[in-house]
Amino acid sequence: MKVKDKNELATLQKAVLEANLLLYNSKLALHTWGNVSAISKDRSYYVIKPSGIPYEKMQFSDMVAVDLENNVLESELNPSSDTPTHSLIYKADHRISAIVHTHSPFAVSWAQAGKEIPALGTTHADNFFGAIPCTDSLTDEQINGEYEHNTGLVILDHFRKNQLDFIATPGVLVKEHGPFCWSDKSAIDAVKLAMTFEEIAKMAFYTKLMNPLQNQANPVLQRKHYNRKHGKNAYYGQKK
Amino acid sequence: MKVKDKNELATLQKAVLEANLLLYNSKLALHTWGNVSAISKDRSYYVIKPSGIPYEKMQFSDMVAVDLENNVLESELNPSSDTPTHSLIYKADHRISAIVHTHSPFAVSWAQAGKEIPALGTTHADNFFGAIPCTDSLTDEQINGEYEHNTGLVILDHFRKNQLDFIATPGVLVKEHGPFCWSDKSAIDAVKLAMTFEEIAKMAFYTKLMNPLQNQANPVLQRKHYNRKHGKNAYYGQKK
Amino acid sequence: MKVKDKNELATLQKAVLEANLLLYNSKLALHTWGNVSAISKDRSYYVIKPSGIPYEKMQFSDMVAVDLENNVLESELNPSSDTPTHSLIYKADHRISAIVHTHSPFAVSWAQAGKEIPALGTTHADNFFGAIPCTDSLTDEQINGEYEHNTGLVILDHFRKNQLDFIATPGVLVKEHGPFCWSDKSAIDAVKLAMTFEEIAKMAFYTKLMNPLQNQANPVLQRKHYNRKHGKNAYYGQKK
Amino acid sequence: MKVKDKNELATLQKAVLEANLLLYNSKLALHTWGNVSAISKDRSYYVIKPSGIPYEKMQFSDMVAVDLENNVLESELNPSSDTPTHSLIYKADHRISAIVHTHSPFAVSWAQAGKEIPALGTTHADNFFGAIPCTDSLTDEQINGEYEHNTGLVILDHFRKNQLDFIATPGVLVKEHGPFCWSDKSAIDAVKLAMTFEEIAKMAFYTKLMNPLQNQANPVLQRKHYNRKHGKNAYYGQKK
């Protein structure tokens, strides 16, 4: 019993369950695939989907609380096997409050093709500043070692080397694997972004088949659309 | 309080809400994307979806009344950020009574590819006379200036330069952005056309992958089908 | 009032309505597109969907009775504009008891590409003996003349020239237009075949993208599968 | 009346009906296509879908009990025409407890293209160890002889020649025909695998269109993911 504020825990568990169900009902994953987590206010622990439990049967109390060193704090269930990847992403940027991993088919296909998703139009630019990156492969040693931890490291390395900001680029493709994305708002918001990620991946796939030479939309147009929705001069939506 | 006929306003708001919900339920846009507007009889104002409000939560009274200079007449909500584009299209042709913007994936992909949708068969020709055009890019100055107004200008320029009629060609792709279409009948009719637009975009995508050399259906066949449904000798449907 | 047996008429109208609704609910056509008809036992008239009426609003009594010369026998509504095409197909083979026209996207795309659908596997061969043919284009004179009648003629010509049997090949693509198919059983059976037609068109599209050199499955395999379901030695299904 | 344990029979019939309905509702087959079977504990008989009966009308008591020589033990209905293929697969490996055949479109398209599905990423590797194989064609003699029995032989030959294990490779494409897969757990589990099979086939199709040179994911990564879910050191899911 290492989580003190049981109310916050239950609230987080309910939010994480709701977000996992949205993931499943939006067809971003089959069976028991995919997972959503969300972190506590003081960032001392986060709550994540249990491993291998069917979405239809999950109760909010099944959501597993783990600390950032991957220790289970509260639960008799195993957390998602991708837990160490989540931990590293939370540690990489303190603004990140929820993380999603899916097996949505177009995003996975870009990852399997080993290609970043180019920013080909305003639907993309409204949500991601620049291409959605694709990591390098893990080395054989990384795969045979602490695999899920090393998956996180490969993501972090990619962002560091390419000087990417985790909020402006709130998602990534892990090569030969699939998409991860995150939100600085909430678990539900992170799943909505995963839906957007798949829609963008689909549109980019169709666009490249129609016009293989198209590499990116005008960067001025990309910046305009990104700033319309994000940052201090954003004017999309209602005053808060 | 600048709209006098409150009954007409409420009727328009209800029609615009219903049309927006059809857009969303027909999966022409995710989340808060896309928008529908419809103009009043005297064309002194039109009613448009508010910016960034989830479709599931919209009430008819949330639909924003604006004049053709983009001034909000009645509402505490911001109108769609695409409002200035709608205004210019309404001013371009007094027959247009409703306008729709979607992010439907096949239409967006043609826009991202920067290509017009060729009229490859009768499904297209029943609804659009000739190709669905794709505009030029906006210049960097146009993007950094009054962007949404300039988006409308680029559409109008394209129709003027190519001598296109807004009723025979009731839709357009804005390059690297997506589709706009309109109706001389009603908001619901405009959304039905947006569904058709996406269906045509999908069929043209498949056709070009199968036969890249196919550029357009026989123009005599196109004219036959367009005239079967439109104009004074139309014989599709029931006597009015 | 030229139909004597009002009971048969009502029964046919109900069957045709039900089949039209299956077409629409199976997403083989949007809006008011597509149509189903079925012929009376003595082949003196058939019943067809009215032109341009939304599927959601159709009543069985709206289904229009016409004779094989395209005269409306019973109804104040106009029959489908494709009626003369149906008449010619019914006259071409007295075994045909129901006809369907759809705008299903993969089938339309093959028609727009101007290509027959090759028999690439057993799913195809279970239902169609050999490729699904694609007609020649109509001439400009044929288009500007009695267009829908001439559409039927082009189909009949294609079957005659290629010595195709209407039951072994129960469907066709009209070039730059779309699919027609028919059944010797019932209106519902014809719509189920239209669903199969679209599924086969989809599979053939994917197959050709993966392997452009694949032209047809082994003809011995095709014959085996066709005969498993059709003809006197068929052994699929239950004893009748 | 050759089945003694009527309780086991009824339990199997209910499980096989439920699995067949999941197949149909998951859109892995249209109309009466596809079939699921499951074998009794002592492997003296198995229960399979009847031939050509609509899924909507099937009762659990319609599921046909047959022995491994394809003799009907209990039922007035004909079993699926693919029964002899099932029998051979059950005889090939005593661990197999349920078998599924579908007409899911992406899997069928790979079979029609005559190509194995390469293991392009972790979604594949989580479920199949290595590529999903595609058999050789049947010879004309095999087709004209005991066709369904010979379909089973061609599968068995392929596994034997390529030293494939039926549990590590729980599925196959029959060339120019379509997918079969199986489970060592249950009928429902076999249908869930058929859903996975189709998802993998779809992703591989998209991946190869994007990057035709991609032939397989890193074999070390494949082995890691397969072993994460299968075998004695598996750590995905909950302790049993």
Side-chain angles (χ1 to χ4, degrees), chain D residues 156-221:
Chain D
L156 271 49
D157 274 2
H158 192 94
F159 274 65
R160 188 176 44 73
K161 277 184 203 158
N162 294 278
Q163 297 184 283
L164 297 173
D165 177 80
F166 279 89
I167 302 307
T169 303
V172 68
L173 296 166
V174 176
K175 193 171 172 183
E176 298 182 344
H177 187 151
F180 284 82
C181 65
W182 43 82
S183 166
D184 58 357
K185 297 192 188 67
S186 67
I188 281 287
D189 192 66
V191 176
K192 286 184 181 172
L193 186 65
M195 294 165 69
T196 298
F197 197 150
E198 178 65 3
E199 194 76 0
I200 288 170
K202 179 167 69 180
M203 290 171 173
F205 173 73
Y206 296 152
T207 304
K208 292 293 276 186
L209 284 186
M210 275 192 247
N211 189 347
L213 302 176
Q214 197 75 356
N215 281 323
Q216 68 164 330
N218 178 356
V220 177
L221 181 66

Side-chain angles (χ1 to χ4, degrees), chain C residues 120-123 192 196 199 203 206-207 210-211 214 217-218 220-221 224-225 228 235-239, chain D residues 31-33 51-53 77-78 81-82 103 106 108-110 112-113 115 140 143 147-148 176-177 205:
Chain C
L120 295 169
T122 61
T123 312
K192 286 184 180 172
T196 298
E199 194 76 0
M203 290 170 172
Y206 296 151
T207 305
M210 274 192 248
N211 190 347
Q214 197 74 357
N218 178 356
V220 177
L221 181 66
K224 171 69 187 177
H225 266 264
R228 221 165 66 136
Y235 57 92
Y236 182 93
Q238 305 300 325
K239 277 153 235 138
Chain D
H31 309 316
T32 63
W33 309 350
S51 184
I53 306 282
L77 296 174
N78 295 334
S81 53
D82 294 318
H103 288 248
F106 284 101
V108 166
S109 299
W110 282 95
Q112 292 189 159
K115 296 188 174 184
D140 293 356
I143 294 166
Y147 170 65
E148 293 83 4
E176 298 182 344
H177 187 151
F205 173 73

Side-chain angles (χ1 to χ4, degrees), chain D:
Chain D
M1 298 273 235
K2 296 160 191 168
V3 174
K4 288 182 193 158
D5 185 339
K6 299 296 180 204
N7 282 340
E8 188 192 25
L9 174 62
T11 302
L12 260 182
Q13 286 177 312
K14 284 173 189 168
V16 168
L17 174 63
E18 184 192 359
N20 273 291
L21 294 180
L22 179 63
L23 182 162
Y24 186 63
N25 292 328
S26 304
K27 301 189 186 303
L28 301 175
L30 292 180
H31 309 316
T32 63
W33 309 350
N35 44 71
V36 184
S37 72
I39 200 164
S40 67
K41 226 171 197 173
D42 68 359
R43 303 184 78 79
S44 64
Y45 73 95
Y46 64 95
V47 166
I48 190 165
K49 173 172 161 282
S51 184
I53 306 282
Y55 286 93
E56 296 90 342
K57 297 190 179 165
M58 292 187 314
Q59 306 293 322
F60 83 89
S61 55
D62 295 337
M63 302 298 111
V64 184
V66 295
D67 67 20
L68 296 186
E69 307 310 317
N70 310 315
N71 301 301
V72 173
L73 301 186
E74 305 258 355
S75 189
E76 309 215 330
L77 296 174
N78 295 334
S80 164
S81 53
D82 294 318
T83 294
T85 314
H86 288 240
S87 292
L88 273 187
I89 296 172
Y90 282 122
K91 290 202 270 193
D93 194 312
H94 68 276
R95 295 168 299 175
I96 295 172
S97 62
I99 300 172
V100 177
H101 169 53
T102 78
H103 288 248
S104 66
F106 284 101
V108 166
S109 299
W110 282 95
Q112 292 189 159
K115 296 188 174 184
E116 66 175 24
I117 304 178
L120 295 168
T122 61
T123 311
H124 184 120
D126 282 335
N127 295 284
F128 290 85
F129 189 76
I132 302 178
C134 182
T135 67
D136 285 338
S137 299
L138 278 74
T139 63
D140 293 356
E141 290 68 35
Q142 287 178 313
I143 294 166
N144 287 326
E146 299 193 21
Y147 170 65
E148 293 83 4
H149 177 81
N150 294 333
T151 298
L153 282 185
V154 164
I155 294 171
L156 271 49
D157 274 2
H158 192 94
F159 274 65
R160 188 176 44 73
K161 277 184 203 158
N162 294 278
Q163 297 184 283
L164 297 173
D165 177 80
F166 279 89
I167 302 307
T169 303
V172 68
L173 296 166
V174 176
K175 193 171 172 183
E176 298 182 344
H177 187 151
F180 284 82
C181 65
W182 43 82
S183 166
D184 58 357
K185 297 192 188 67
S186 67
I188 281 287
D189 192 66
V191 176
K192 286 184 181 172
L193 186 65
M195 294 165 69
T196 298
F197 197 150
E198 178 65 3
E199 194 76 0
I200 288 170
K202 179 167 69 180
M203 290 171 173
F205 173 73
Y206 296 152
T207 304
K208 292 293 276 186
L209 284 186
M210 275 192 247
N211 189 347
L213 302 176
Q214 197 75 356
N215 281 323
Q216 68 164 330
N218 178 356
V220 177
L221 181 66
Q222 290 183 50
R223 184 174 297 269
K224 171 69 187 177
H225 266 264
Y226 188 76
N227 289 337
R228 221 165 67 138
K229 284 203 166 177
H230 303 270
K232 61 180 178 183
N233 295 318
Y235 58 92
Y236 182 92
Q238 304 300 325
K239 278 154 234 136
K240 302 291 149 69

